[in-house]
Amino acid sequence: MQHPHPPRHRTRSHRLLGGIRRWATAAAGALALTAGLAAAGPQASAASLTQVTGFGTNPGNLSMYAYVPDNLPTGAPLVVALHGCTQSASDYSSHSGWPKFADSQRFALVFPQTSSANNANSCFNWFEAGDSGRGRGEALSIKQMVDKAITQYGSDPRRVYITGLSAGGGMTANMLAAYPDAFAGGSIASGLPARCAEDLTAAYTCMYSPPDRTPAQWGDLVRSAAPAGTTSWPRVAIWQGTADTTVRPANATELRDQWTNVWGLGQTPSRTRSLTGGTTLTSYDDSSGRPAVQVYSISGMAHGLAVDPGSGADQCGTSGTYYLDTICSSLHTARFWGLDGSGGGDGGTGALPAPTGLTVTAATDSGVGLRWNAVSGAASYSVFRDGAKVSTTTSTTYTDTGLATGTAYGYTVAAVDSSGATGATSAAVTATTTGFTPTCHTASNYAHTTAGRAYASGGYTYAKGSDQAMGLWNTFTTHTLQQTSPGHYVLADSGCHA
């Protein structure tokens, strides 16, 4: 990626100012946030990268591209991946390795794309307050893409994640701060702390010599960007090369300070271990013992995204300019988020094999019964629901209770040895509870759409599931919708009885 040039505006005076600033920046001769344009062909799959239109008002003037594996079930996770400067959605999809894991781990991908119409070097404007805050510019366009994907692909709104490289990493941090209610986790690759800069001059300072703020000061920047009263925060992975001269490694330290403080944690690691590619993984656990923040430091790696080309299960991506052959960051990020069906935290450390034969034995309005085959050497088993650990049991059966009616849940199981090390995770199964309790929702068409109860098309709003016309997509038209089954809503203006 190249310099994070100022965004291009549409008035003649702003174009002139932008040209002067770009000339001055070029005269300075610094290279920053640059990335190659060479793109490898897409990985073999029946799915392909497809442009999606009509995803909202799009105040940031972005384009939306999606990669959705064939026969993806309703309720699958969603990952949003932001490219770097001079790159495109296609380039990032081809190089990053994310489609491989979308296919194998079953989730949808959205690749937002900016252009030179927004920024001279096609950077996301992470350093512009008008583009990186909640309800503004590019940040709002990305949020509208999330809403569109949840509606169109049936993605689980509780399992939406965002990642980005460099300028995309800076925007990722800002999205996590502005929309902690929309994202369960994030991954910032060679990026910057949230709200480190709100103008071009400060952007260069952050890149080359980030402010040495206290953890509380960094955390306050996130808290002030988030909705008032936010108490639940995304889990954050931080990727950084130690030889990066474009976005200096000090940014990873400041990012760690920022997000551990947001989580109410100290900066003393819970544990540190070595991975392949000269990578050191440092984890910071929450009160339940699950990693809330993880830092991946790659010895000797320059500026770019870590990939590991090859056909192995732990390999991914295509090397190229600023796609560096070290370790498959997409795989480890997916593990940290629990997309592989584990409880998150970048997989288990034990040697026990994955349990086989995981089966749903029963489903009621509020519970699910499970059974699996015993693993030799297992002292106990960890049970995961939708990627989060819900129980430890010494039995090969488990009943999950207290669930919502008429709702699909994904389950996996892993064996735990006598030392407490968790082994490989089983194949996932899906169970749907019986029954359904209708609910009533009265709101504007805009609010229905952003909440996923309706969708917008051609400026008009339609009820999700029933496709009933609701009128113009705006904040002035109000309707009552009744949810009659999971994901199905009908107009109930004349009376709604839940």
Side-chain angles (χ1 to χ4, degrees):
M1 289 172 287
Q2 293 182 350
H3 265 311
H5 278 291
R8 289 185 174 177
H9 302 285
R10 291 172 175 76
T11 66
R12 186 176 185 277
S13 61
H14 281 153
R15 286 198 300 269
L16 178 61
L17 176 60
I20 293 171
R21 294 173 74 187
R22 288 193 296 276
W23 175 86
T25 301
L31 290 176
L33 298 180
T34 57
L37 292 172
Q43 297 184 8
S45 170
S48 61
L49 191 67
T50 304
Q51 185 169 6
V52 181
T53 58
F55 56 85
T57 57
N58 192 19
N61 190 35
L62 303 180
S63 298
M64 175 181 177
Y65 291 83
Y67 180 94
V68 183
D70 288 351
N71 302 314
L72 187 70
T74 299
L78 171 67
V79 173
V80 180
L82 304 177
H83 65 75
C85 299
T86 77
Q87 295 178 318
S88 65
S90 176
D91 180 66
Y92 202 63
S93 173
S94 298
H95 280 292
S96 65
W98 276 110
K100 172 178 179 177
F101 302 111
D103 288 335
S104 64
Q105 299 177 8
R106 310 300 289 161
F107 56 84
L109 281 167
V110 165
F111 292 92
Q113 178 176 289
T114 186
S115 68
S116 59
N118 284 9
N119 181 287
N121 279 322
S122 298
C123 307
F124 288 103
N125 290 317
W126 61 273
F127 53 89
E128 291 286 340
D131 271 316
S132 58
R134 187 180 180 95
R136 303 178 187 176
E138 293 179 1
L140 179 54
S141 290
I142 295 169
K143 176 58 167 60
Q144 290 175 342
M145 294 182 199
V146 170
D147 295 337
K148 175 73 171 182
I150 290 172
T151 299
Q152 185 157 322
Y153 310 125
S155 301
D156 185 347
R158 301 167 300 174
R159 293 190 291 165
V160 180
Y161 306 87
I162 186 168
T163 181
L165 166 64
S166 200
M171 184 61 86
T172 293
N174 286 329
M175 291 296 295
L176 294 171
Y179 293 100
D181 49 336
F183 299 104
S187 179
I188 303 161
S190 302
L192 300 302
R195 299 189 65 194
C196 187
E198 292 192 342
D199 59 51
L200 187 63
T201 300
Y204 291 121
T205 299
C206 290
M207 289 160 55
Y208 299 129
S209 181
D212 186 19
R213 296 187 173 106
T214 67
Q217 288 171 330
W218 281 119
D220 285 344
L221 289 174
V222 172
R223 286 182 283 269
S224 64
T230 298
T231 57
S232 180
W233 300 99
R235 299 180 186 274
V236 180
I238 300 160
W239 289 85
Q240 181 69 49
T242 64
D244 192 336
T245 58
T246 301
V247 175
R248 301 283 182 170
N251 281 284
T253 302
E254 305 304 330
L255 274 163
R256 177 209 62 184
D257 289 356
Q258 183 172 65
W259 289 100
T260 51
N261 180 263
V262 166
W263 273 84
L265 306 174
Q267 287 69 55
T268 301
S270 301
R271 64 192 162 280
T272 299
R273 66 188 182 101
S274 297
L275 304 176
T276 60
T279 305
T280 300
L281 169 59
T282 307
S283 298
Y284 301 82
D285 293 352
D286 64 15
S287 58
S288 70
R290 183 182 175 196
V293 178
Q294 289 193 320
V295 180
Y296 298 79
S297 178
I298 306 173
S299 179
M301 192 182 87
H303 185 68
L305 183 72
V307 297
D308 184 14
S311 58
D314 290 349
Q315 294 181 292
C316 73
T318 305
S319 60
T321 306
Y322 297 97
Y323 294 97
L324 307 179
D325 187 353
T326 50
I327 185 174
C328 176
S329 59
S330 297
L331 170 67
H332 289 274
T333 297
R335 284 178 176 172
F336 169 59
W337 291 336
L339 297 181
D340 62 345
S342 70
D346 201 2
T349 58
L352 292 179
T356 60
L358 178 61
T359 304
V360 178
T361 58
T364 66
D365 284 0
S366 60
V368 168
L370 302 169
R371 182 183 63 227
W372 57 92
N373 297 327
V375 173
S376 178
S380 62
Y381 299 90
S382 293
V383 181
F384 304 94
R385 181 209 310 137
D386 291 336
K389 184 178 177 180
V390 293
S391 181
T392 297
T393 177
T394 57
S395 174
T396 56
T397 62
Y398 175 70
T399 300
D400 196 16
T401 59
L403 305 178
T405 59
T407 303
Y409 296 93
Y411 291 93
T412 56
V413 179
V416 181
D417 64 23
S418 58
S419 70
T422 302
T425 305
S426 71
V429 296
T430 300
T432 302
T433 54
T434 57
F436 185 78
T437 302
T439 56
C440 300
H441 308 270
T442 300
S444 70
N445 281 356
Y446 177 83
H448 280 310
T449 302
T450 56
R453 296 185 291 267
Y455 64 93
S457 178
Y460 291 87
T461 306
Y462 301 88
K464 183 178 179 181
S466 68
D467 298 322
Q468 290 177 300
M470 298 168 59
L472 292 172
W473 184 56
N474 57 38
T475 59
F476 306 106
T477 304
T478 298
H479 285 293
T480 297
L481 292 179
Q482 183 180 40
Q483 186 177 17
T484 58
S485 62
H488 192 276
Y489 297 84
V490 298
L491 282 168
D493 291 336
S494 60
C496 185
H497 306 286

